[in-house]
Amino acid sequence: MGERRVAFADRREQMGYTQESFGRAVGVEFSTVGRWERGELTPQPYRRPRIAQVLKVSLAELEVLLSPSRRARSLELTTSPRYTPSLDDALSALEAVALVDNGADTKPGMRVFEGRLPAQAVRAWRFGVEHFDMPTTGAPTSVRDIDEIKATTTALDRLDRQFGGDYCRGLAVKYLTSRVLPTLRRPASDSVRRELFQASAVLAEVIGYMAYDSQFHRLAQHYFVHSLRLAKEAGNPAYGSFVFATMSHQALYLDRPDQALALARAAQETASSSSVAAVKTEAAMLEATASAALGDHRGSTEALRRGEKSYDHHGSADETPYWIAHWDDAVFASFASSAWLDLGDVRAAEPYLQLLADRAQGQVRREVFAAGQRAKAALLEQDVERCVHYGTMAAKAAAAANSKRSHHIVRDLLSQLEGHRQLRPVRELTETVVTLLPSEAP
C-alpha cells in the first residue's frame, strides 16, 4: 500500500465533493477515488487535466496534491487547514506550510478564511484519538534545546508586539524550518518530549498570529491548527485553550461572531481544569465580546462578570506561563471596552478605554487599537470632531506599524465616517490617511 495523499483528499473535500460525486465529475468509480487517496493507484496522465479542472488547480499544483503527504513540501495551500490525529502527517503539513510561507506575498488564497476549520478543530480536539506515529532519528533532544526555543520564541513574540506581524515573520518561519522541526523528529525522553512539543506549539501560534496580523487568514489558520496538535501532544489543555482563544479573536476580527462564540466556549471548556487564571479570563472575555457583537446583552454581561471574577485570581509573574506573560490589565481592558462599546454603553467602557490608553505606549498595535476604540466611543456619542482627533492618532500610530490589521482599523473608521464626509474635519482625516497610509485610503 502506498502513502496516503492527504492534500489531495483535503482539496476534494474543500471543493465540496464526496468520493462518489468527485468520481462522477472526473469519470471514474468512487472506489477508484478512494484508491487514489490511499496511494494504491495513481491517476493516469490522460485523466489529470479533467481532475485539475474539477479541483480548480493547475497541473503543477495537482502534482503536488498527488505527492504522498510526507513529501508534499511545495504545497501551495490549496488545501484547507485541518487538524490531523497523525503526528507525522501534522509535522509534514506544518513543514509544507512554513516552506510556502517564505513567499507568502505571491500566494493567492492565503488571505481567505476557512469557515469550516473551527468546528472541525474543536471536534478533533475533543474526540480525536491521536497517533504518535513519527519515526525519530539523530541525537537525543536536551533541556537546553527547549530553553533555546522558548527564549527565541519569546524574543520573536516581543518584536511582533512592538512592531507588528510583518516585521519578523520571515525570521520566525526560518527558525521553525531550520531548527525546530528537525528537533521535533529527534528522540527524547517522555518529559523532554512533552516540553519540546509545548515550546514548539507556542512558536507555531506566534507565527500564526503574525500571519493573522498580516491579513493572511488561511495561512494563520494552518499554523493555529498545527499548534493545537502540538499542544495535544504536549498534554497541555491550558495552551489548547489559549489557541482556541486566538482563533476566536481572529473570527471576531473577520466579523464572524457566531464562530468566535463557539471557539470562545471551546476555550472555556478546554481550560476548565486549568489553574492558569489568564486563560480562563481570556476565554470569558472573548465570549463577552462575541455575545455583544451578536446583540446578546445578557450573555455578554454575564460573561464579563465571569471574566472579572477569574481575573481577580490572576497570579504573580512567577505563576504565569511564559506564553501568556503578556496578559495584563491592558489586555483585559481591550476586551472589556470592545464588549461595552458593541453594546452601545460608552459610560461602562470609559474606565477601560482610559486604562488601555495609559498602557498602550511602546506597542504600536495597542496604540492603534486604543485610539480606534476612543474614536468609536466618540462616534457613538455623535462627537465627530473628537472621533476625528482619535482617528488621526490611530492613523499616525498605524503608519509606524508593520501591521496590516492596524492599518485596517483606520480604514474601517473612515468607512464609519462616510456619512460625515462633507465635514471639514473628516476631509482632513481622509487627507491624513492618504498621506500616511495610501493603501488604506478610500
Side-chain angles (χ1 to χ4, degrees), residues 123-146:
R123 286 195 303 269
W125 175 273
R126 287 174 174 168
F127 308 117
V129 178
E130 281 67 35
H131 308 297
F132 186 86
D133 55 355
M134 179 188 72
T136 58
T137 185
T141 304
S142 68
V143 173
R144 185 172 181 177
D145 293 317
I146 297 168

Side-chain angles (χ1 to χ4, degrees), residues 316-440:
S316 66
D318 293 337
E319 300 170 336
T320 302
Y322 77 98
W323 43 264
I324 202 166
H326 65 278
W327 232 95
D328 57 13
D329 291 347
V331 177
F332 183 88
S334 69
F335 287 118
S337 64
S338 292
W340 286 120
L341 289 178
D342 281 345
L343 292 172
D345 194 334
V346 176
R347 180 176 295 181
E350 180 56 38
Y352 299 111
L353 292 171
Q354 187 59 55
L355 176 59
L356 185 58
D358 292 343
R359 299 288 295 275
Q361 297 301 314
Q363 293 191 28
V364 288
R365 278 199 304 253
R366 191 176 285 184
E367 290 175 8
V368 176
F369 181 77
Q373 290 290 81
R374 284 288 199 183
K376 183 176 180 179
L379 199 56
L380 284 172
E381 295 183 320
Q382 299 183 345
D383 188 338
V384 175
E385 286 195 16
R386 189 158 57 94
C387 175
V388 167
H389 168 73
Y390 287 117
T392 302
M393 289 176 59
K396 290 179 178 178
N402 291 286
S403 165
K404 291 184 176 65
R405 189 158 51 98
S406 294
H407 296 180
H408 282 207
I409 287 175
V410 179
R411 180 200 63 189
D412 292 344
L413 178 60
L414 283 180
S415 296
Q416 293 171 42
L417 287 167
E418 183 66 30
H420 304 281
R421 180 73 59 92
Q422 75 282 4
L423 299 179
R424 180 177 176 180
V426 177
R427 293 200 304 271
E428 291 176 347
L429 174 60
T430 303
E431 292 170 2
T432 298
V433 173
V434 168
T435 301
L436 297 177
L437 302 168
S439 63
E440 304 301 332

Side-chain angles (χ1 to χ4, degrees), residues 34-169:
R35 296 184 73 184
W36 287 345
E37 293 179 358
R38 291 192 297 274
E40 297 171 4
L41 289 178
T42 297
Q44 293 294 319
Y46 73 90
R47 292 199 182 276
R48 296 190 182 194
R50 176 57 181 166
I51 294 172
Q53 181 183 25
V54 171
L55 293 178
K56 298 188 186 304
V57 297
S58 67
L59 286 173
E61 288 176 320
L62 179 61
E63 288 297 319
V64 174
L65 295 177
L66 290 172
S67 300
S69 59
R70 184 175 293 131
R71 295 195 298 271
R73 294 186 174 182
S74 59
L75 182 65
E76 297 285 341
L77 294 194
T78 54
T79 58
S80 299
R82 187 180 182 88
Y83 185 104
T84 175
S86 165
L87 183 61
D88 194 26
D89 285 349
L91 292 184
S92 295
L94 178 56
E95 183 179 18
V97 169
L99 290 173
V100 169
D101 193 11
N102 285 328
D105 283 323
T106 65
K107 303 296 187 294
M110 284 191 179
R111 299 187 186 277
V112 180
F113 182 82
E114 175 52 67
R116 291 179 294 182
L117 173 66
Q120 188 270 335
V122 171
R123 286 195 303 269
W125 175 273
R126 287 174 174 168
F127 308 117
V129 178
E130 281 67 35
H131 308 297
F132 186 86
D133 55 355
M134 179 188 72
T136 58
T137 185
T141 304
S142 68
V143 173
R144 185 172 181 177
D145 293 317
I146 297 168
D147 289 342
E148 177 207 300
I149 294 171
K150 287 181 178 179
T152 304
T153 301
T154 299
L156 291 166
D157 185 45
R158 187 179 300 116
L159 288 170
D160 168 59
R161 293 181 187 283
Q162 187 172 358
F163 299 111
D166 283 337
Y167 183 73
C168 62
R169 192 174 85 248

Side-chain angles (χ1 to χ4, degrees), residues 32 169 200 223 270 275 353:
T32 300
R169 192 174 85 248
S200 303
Y223 284 115
T270 306
S275 60
L353 292 171

Side-chain angles (χ1 to χ4, degrees), residues 87-349:
L87 183 61
D88 194 26
D89 285 349
L91 292 184
S92 295
L94 178 56
E95 183 179 18
V97 169
L99 290 173
V100 169
D101 193 11
N102 285 328
D105 283 323
T106 65
K107 303 296 187 294
M110 284 191 179
R111 299 187 186 277
V112 180
F113 182 82
E114 175 52 67
R116 291 179 294 182
L117 173 66
Q120 188 270 335
V122 171
R123 286 195 303 269
W125 175 273
R126 287 174 174 168
F127 308 117
V129 178
E130 281 67 35
H131 308 297
F132 186 86
D133 55 355
M134 179 188 72
T136 58
T137 185
T141 304
S142 68
V143 173
R144 185 172 181 177
D145 293 317
I146 297 168
D147 289 342
E148 177 207 300
I149 294 171
K150 287 181 178 179
T152 304
T153 301
T154 299
L156 291 166
D157 185 45
R158 187 179 300 116
L159 288 170
D160 168 59
R161 293 181 187 283
Q162 187 172 358
F163 299 111
D166 283 337
Y167 183 73
C168 62
R169 192 174 85 248
L171 180 62
V173 170
K174 182 177 290 187
Y175 181 69
L176 174 68
T177 55
S178 65
R179 180 76 174 99
V180 177
L181 286 172
T183 303
L184 286 170
R185 294 190 178 275
R186 287 161 45 188
S189 67
D190 286 346
S191 59
V192 169
R193 181 168 63 85
R194 284 193 297 271
E195 288 294 321
L196 174 62
F197 277 90
Q198 173 58 50
S200 303
V202 177
L203 177 61
E205 189 277 341
V206 166
I207 298 175
Y209 201 92
M210 292 174 178
Y212 159 36
D213 194 51
S214 300
Q215 304 287 337
F216 292 120
H217 293 293
R218 178 169 293 185
L219 177 63
Q221 289 180 293
H222 277 278
Y223 284 115
F224 293 153
V225 78
H226 294 312
S227 177
L228 273 177
R229 180 62 184 89
L230 296 174
K232 178 70 88 169
E233 198 63 37
N236 191 343
Y239 195 73
S241 171
F242 179 77
V243 178
F244 278 130
T246 301
M247 294 170 71
S248 176
H249 195 283
Q250 181 190 31
L252 269 174
Y253 173 76
L254 292 171
D255 196 24
R256 294 171 179 257
D258 52 342
Q259 291 185 331
L261 183 61
L263 287 162
R265 287 174 174 166
Q268 290 183 73
E269 179 181 319
T270 306
S272 59
S273 61
S274 171
S275 60
V276 183
V279 170
K280 296 179 179 179
T281 304
E282 182 163 28
M285 299 306 286
L286 280 160
E287 181 181 351
T289 309
S291 296
L294 290 166
D296 182 359
H297 190 284
R298 180 177 178 180
S300 182
T301 53
E302 288 179 354
L304 279 167
R305 283 196 292 270
R306 276 189 278 113
E308 290 170 351
K309 183 177 180 180
S310 178
Y311 193 58
D312 287 341
H313 295 92
H314 185 54
S316 66
D318 293 337
E319 300 170 336
T320 302
Y322 77 98
W323 43 264
I324 202 166
H326 65 278
W327 232 95
D328 57 13
D329 291 347
V331 177
F332 183 88
S334 69
F335 287 118
S337 64
S338 292
W340 286 120
L341 289 178
D342 281 345
L343 292 172
D345 194 334
V346 176
R347 180 176 295 181

